[in-house]
Amino acid sequence: MYSICVFAGTTEGRELVEFLSRQPVFVTACVATEYGEALLKLSDNLTVISKRLPADEMIGLLQEQQFDLVIDATHPYAVSVTAGIKHACETTCTEYLRLLREETERFPDAIYVPDTGAAVDFLSNTEGNILLTTGSKELHKYAAIKGFADRVYARVLPMTSSLEACRAAGLKPSRVIAMQGPFSEEMNVAMLRFMSAKWLVTKDGGEAGGFAEKAAAARTAGARLVVIGRPPEQEGMAFSEIIALLCRRFGCQWKPRVSVVGIGPGNPDTMTREVREAIERADCLIGAKRMLAAIAAPEQRKFEAISPEKIAGLIKRHPEYRHFTVLMSGDVGFFSGSKKLLPLLDSYEVEVLPGVSSLAYLCARLKTAYEDVIPVSIHGRENNLVPYIQANPRVFVLVGGENGMGQLCRTLVDAGLGQVKMSIGERLSYPDEKITKGTAAELVDGVYDSLCVALVENEAADAIVTHGLPDCLFLRKTGEDGVVPMTKSEVRSVCLSKLELTERAICWDIGAGTGSVAVEMALQAKKGHVYAIEQKDVAIGLLRQNKKLFGAGNLTVVGGSAPEACRDLPAPTHVFVGGSSGKMREILALILAKNPGARIVATAITLESIGELIACLTEFPFAETEIVSVSIARAETAGDYHLMTGQNPVYIFTMQAKGGKYYGKKHHDSGHHVQCRQESFGGGTVPHFQTGRLSRRTL
């Protein structure tokens, strides 16, 4: 294996050693103290040398070990150490690489001095307490500050050598803070306020050295920043560039950290503190263009991406970054792309940080609770919203697209829900935030922003939840006397029960007629989709009218005859065949080819259709079938009397092949079984059951 030596005197140095200790290489870490060794995680391929190496020992180590690469990850202010490492590498002809720590952008209200001596001269001409965060190595030089013993506090590492340096410089124990960082802005603020410090002295340690936190704390606590200038750096590489080199040359594999964060409605002020911190420490941000524009710092690397696949691909293709932060609108658990993204990030270290959802934000603005609100999204997804609003007093709707909210209002009005109250929120959290209230009918002609949500309140939420809607609710007349065939309420109710629809079902209604079955399918499969196939133009017109009347946004009308018109449709989970035009075999063959486990219900009235379906039961590999004969009789008045008028019996065939979902009792033998039952509604009930292999004599 390759052998690599790291002089690890910084946070990045420790991270680099930890990274290499998980790779197929031998790594030797050189640290100056036992304390530095204690910060490293031990591993079988890691050797730690914990002492300061003189020049001759450094040369001897390199000659003995014959390292393939030496990485100098010492502090940027440790000029003499860097010079010694570079000299040892040149003497032993060992490849040398310097890890560079990026300088921080200069703060306009900070005092920059070239070295410690200049800092001492400056501070001697000031008043007020001083917090030194420059370590213990040069602490003795600060003793020359006027009033040193009474003005200066020193924050040093909790080591015997550091405490001895403080004692030697003349600092009282009460003036020494022995702690190991990193220190947050809040911790720095607390220390500055505790000691009433007017000055904070630091080196430009960059992001890893907590420079930004110190600068922010000084500003908050009313202290001035004194920055010791960096020595000129030689050529080298940033951490991410070194990682890329190690992966390329030595077969290393980098496992970056990925933070998936919810940024709230959009304004950075609505983000949580932990989300802001994840954004600030990220090497690379990924998100939508508008989010990056509002949040990313000018110097941060960023990629525009929305789809989970593209985001995961970007992370995979850029191993040079240590920490990615993926920006998600609102909350990561509320109609967020994180649901599909997280399974694609199994090979990375992932953290998920929540944000403020648009639902929580809008309800807060409206001063109302939201525990009883049903959330629904029609942003980039299919969803039949009307049944939700018909059945629930309060529904939150996440809308997308150009004037999607105006289209929603129009859909509600067309479905007879123009009276529902709406609170529409546009560009929530932004300075031009707008909330508009009114009924759907009042707001239907408005033009709304694409960043739009609404709370819809229906005081008369009384939607029928059982199937078998009254026939009178559907349009079926084509002229004065003409009507389009329709599956009647009682038969429709039985058929829908036999279909056993699910909320996410993909349904076909073949020979849809007026669309009574298709509409009820759409109302039940609210998160699925229904395709109504019809060949007659006059019926197609009525189908579209009934779709609009019931607000069935998840229903698609397909013109043409089956099976030809169905070939390009998505595979169905449930199929109702109300009319086959003599092509039942071809239709069933196509259904089973697309989904062998599809559940199929077909109706027949004529003897020819019944015979065709019976033949199909034995021809196709159905695992369980059932035939029900339904006879309907309706009461009609004749003078002072009421007579029951019988209608043609309807035979309902239920078919499902192996792999489908079944309910109820199963037969124990392996034969092909059919359950036959005849029912009469209105004129009494005479059930008849027969189980066994079906023959044409069964009926």
Side-chain angles (χ1 to χ4, degrees):
M1 289 198 300
Y2 293 105
S3 182
I4 297 174
C5 179
V6 180
F7 286 84
T10 59
T11 301
E12 304 99 305
R14 290 194 297 273
E15 289 181 3
L16 191 58
V17 170
E18 290 179 9
F19 165 70
L20 287 169
S21 68
R22 301 191 299 268
Q23 306 301 324
V25 298
F26 290 116
V27 56
T28 297
C30 297
V31 294
T33 64
E34 292 181 358
Y35 181 78
E37 179 181 5
L39 296 175
L40 295 173
K41 296 179 181 178
L42 299 180
S43 64
D44 293 339
N45 64 328
L46 172 62
T47 300
V48 180
I49 300 174
S50 57
K51 65 176 183 177
R52 299 185 187 277
L53 294 176
D56 57 339
E57 290 188 29
M58 200 178 293
I59 292 172
L61 173 67
L62 269 56
Q63 287 175 334
E64 179 183 348
Q65 297 296 327
Q66 296 291 303
F67 294 113
D68 296 288
L69 177 66
V70 169
I71 301 176
D72 177 7
T74 58
H75 200 281
Y77 288 80
V79 179
S80 60
V81 177
T82 290
I85 298 170
K86 190 174 183 182
H87 172 71
C89 288
E90 291 173 347
T91 303
T92 59
C93 297
T94 304
E95 184 178 358
Y96 169 87
L97 184 59
R98 173 67 173 152
L99 190 157
L100 298 178
R101 178 181 286 184
E102 294 182 5
E103 291 191 59
T104 310
E105 183 180 354
R106 293 178 71 90
F107 284 77
D109 55 346
I111 306 297
Y112 285 84
V113 294
D115 52 36
T116 301
V120 170
D121 292 341
F122 173 79
L123 291 168
S124 293
N125 295 304
T126 64
E127 295 182 356
N129 289 344
I130 303 166
L131 172 59
L132 296 178
T133 63
T134 53
S136 60
K137 188 177 179 181
E138 295 187 319
L139 188 59
H140 63 283
K141 294 182 180 180
Y142 289 98
I145 295 175
K146 183 179 179 181
F148 173 79
D150 297 322
R151 295 179 60 195
V152 173
Y153 290 80
R155 189 167 75 195
V156 297
L157 290 172
M159 298 168 52
T160 302
S161 58
S162 299
L163 296 175
E164 177 58 32
C166 292
R167 188 197 65 76
L171 277 179
K172 302 173 185 177
S174 61
R175 296 274 170 166
V176 178
I177 302 170
M179 293 179 67
Q180 165 68 28
F183 299 97
S184 65
E185 176 186 341
E186 291 76 16
M187 178 67 80
N188 286 323
V189 169
M191 290 182 182
L192 289 168
R193 286 177 173 167
F194 169 76
M195 59 191 65
S196 301
K198 296 298 181 183
W199 304 95
L200 191 158
V201 183
T202 182
K203 297 176 181 178
D204 181 3
E207 179 184 351
F211 182 80
E213 288 80 2
K214 293 177 188 176
R219 187 179 296 113
T220 301
R224 293 289 300 277
L225 203 65
V226 178
V227 184
I228 310 296
R230 279 194 189 184
E233 282 272 29
Q234 300 178 14
E235 292 184 357
M237 291 185 177
F239 185 95
S240 58
E241 295 173 321
I242 288 180
I243 292 294
L245 180 145
L246 293 171
C247 292
R248 189 168 58 249
R249 285 180 50 187
F250 301 104
C252 299
Q253 292 185 341
W254 174 243
K255 190 176 183 180
R257 184 178 181 184
V258 181
S259 297
V260 181
V261 305
I263 67 167
N267 189 323
D269 292 340
T270 63
M271 294 189 304
T272 65
R273 178 174 297 169
E274 63 178 355
V275 167
R276 284 200 301 270
E277 290 174 352
I279 291 171
E280 290 168 359
R281 65 174 177 261
D283 298 317
C284 181
L285 297 180
I286 303 177
K289 183 177 182 180
R290 70 174 180 86
M291 292 189 279
L292 293 172
I295 290 170
E299 68 277 5
Q300 276 185 304
R301 189 70 174 91
K302 48 189 174 289
F303 293 107
E304 291 180 22
I306 297 176
S307 74
E309 295 76 14
K310 186 174 181 181
I311 292 172
L314 283 169
I315 294 172
K316 183 177 181 180
R317 291 194 300 273
H318 290 277
E320 69 271 22
Y321 297 114
R322 285 183 289 171
H323 184 188
F324 293 88
T325 293
V326 181
L327 309 177
M328 293 289 177
S329 179
D331 180 33
V332 290
F334 188 73
F335 298 114
S336 169
S338 60
K339 183 177 181 180
K340 293 182 178 179
L341 174 63
L342 292 175
L344 303 177
L345 303 179
D346 285 344
S347 59
Y348 304 105
E349 295 180 6
V350 179
E351 68 173 351
V352 180
L353 303 178
V356 178
S357 70
S358 51
L359 166 59
Y361 187 96
L362 177 62
C363 287
R365 281 287 189 261
L366 297 173
K367 299 180 177 65
T368 183
Y370 58 87
E371 69 266 12
D372 61 335
V373 174
I374 304 299
V376 183
S377 175
I378 53 175
H379 182 193
R381 65 185 71 199
E382 291 183 343
N383 229 331
N384 189 4
L385 187 63
V386 170
Y388 289 97
I389 295 174
Q390 288 174 328
N392 297 284
R394 305 213 303 166
V395 176
F396 173 84
V397 187
L398 190 63
V399 180
E402 190 68 28
N403 200 30
M405 188 60 70
Q407 295 171 15
L408 169 60
C409 292
R410 172 57 60 191
T411 297
L412 295 178
V413 170
D414 291 341
L417 293 169
Q419 82 285 356
V420 299
K421 297 178 181 178
M422 302 186 68
S423 299
I424 299 175
E426 301 175 69
R427 295 186 60 77
L428 295 177
S429 80
Y430 289 98
D432 55 346
E433 170 185 296
K434 181 180 179 182
I435 296 178
T436 307
K437 298 182 180 180
T439 65
E442 292 168 345
L443 303 178
V444 71
D445 294 324
V447 177
Y448 305 96
D449 192 87
S450 58
L451 292 176
C452 208
V453 297
L455 180 64
V456 184
E457 299 176 278
N458 184 5
E459 295 177 352
D462 57 354
I464 298 172
V465 294
T466 56
H467 42 247
L469 294 174
D471 294 340
C472 61
L473 296 181
F474 296 92
L475 302 175
R476 62 181 303 215
K477 285 191 175 182
T478 60
E480 272 191 37
D481 300 314
V483 292
V484 171
M486 180 176 72
T487 303
K488 301 298 195 325
S489 175
E490 294 82 4
V491 175
R492 189 185 335 124
S493 180
V494 175
C495 291
L496 290 166
S497 294
K498 300 300 182 185
L499 273 170
E500 299 176 355
L501 292 173
T502 62
E503 202 173 40
R504 292 176 173 80
I506 303 300
C507 309
W508 290 1
D509 179 3
I510 297 175
T514 60
S516 62
V517 173
V519 165
E520 291 220 48
M521 281 177 160
L523 294 177
Q524 291 186 36
K526 296 187 290 292
K527 296 180 181 178
H529 202 91
V530 179
Y531 296 88
I533 299 93
E534 177 55 52
Q535 60 180 330
K536 296 179 181 177
D537 291 339
V538 64
I540 290 173
L542 282 172
L543 241 171
R544 288 176 175 149
Q545 290 182 58
N546 281 318
K547 170 187 174 178
K548 183 177 180 180
L549 179 64
F550 285 87
N554 59 336
L555 192 160
T556 297
V557 179
V558 180
S561 60
E564 290 79 8
C566 305
R567 297 195 186 280
D568 295 330
L569 298 181
T573 58
H574 300 76
V575 179
F576 175 71
V577 185
S580 63
S581 299
K583 297 182 179 180
M584 185 61 71
R585 285 182 178 82
E586 293 90 335
I587 291 171
L588 293 179
L590 176 62
I591 294 168
L592 296 178
K594 281 183 170 283
N595 180 9
R599 189 167 181 83
I600 305 165
V601 171
T603 57
I605 298 176
T606 68
L607 295 177
E608 288 76 12
S609 297
I610 295 169
E612 185 180 19
L613 273 165
I614 290 174
C616 289
L617 293 184
T618 55
E619 183 177 334
F620 291 96
F622 295 119
E624 190 166 313
T625 58
E626 179 189 64
I627 305 173
V628 177
S629 174
V630 180
S631 297
I632 308 297
R634 293 181 182 274
E636 294 185 359
T637 57
D640 294 333
Y641 298 94
H642 292 80
L643 300 176
M644 299 304 296
T645 303
Q647 299 183 10
N648 289 327
V650 178
Y651 290 85
I652 302 173
F653 289 71
T654 304
M655 300 159 276
Q656 192 160 27
K658 290 182 180 179
K661 187 175 182 180
Y662 303 99
Y663 298 95
K665 185 178 180 181
K666 301 288 187 300
H667 301 301
H668 294 289
D669 60 352
S670 58
H672 184 137
H673 289 85
V674 176
Q675 181 182 31
C676 301
R677 180 167 69 251
Q678 183 168 4
E679 298 177 2
S680 176
F681 292 86
T685 302
V686 183
H688 176 69
F689 299 91
Q690 180 174 343
T691 303
R693 284 198 176 274
L694 179 70
S695 69
R696 291 186 180 245
R697 284 181 259 177
T698 304
L699 296 174

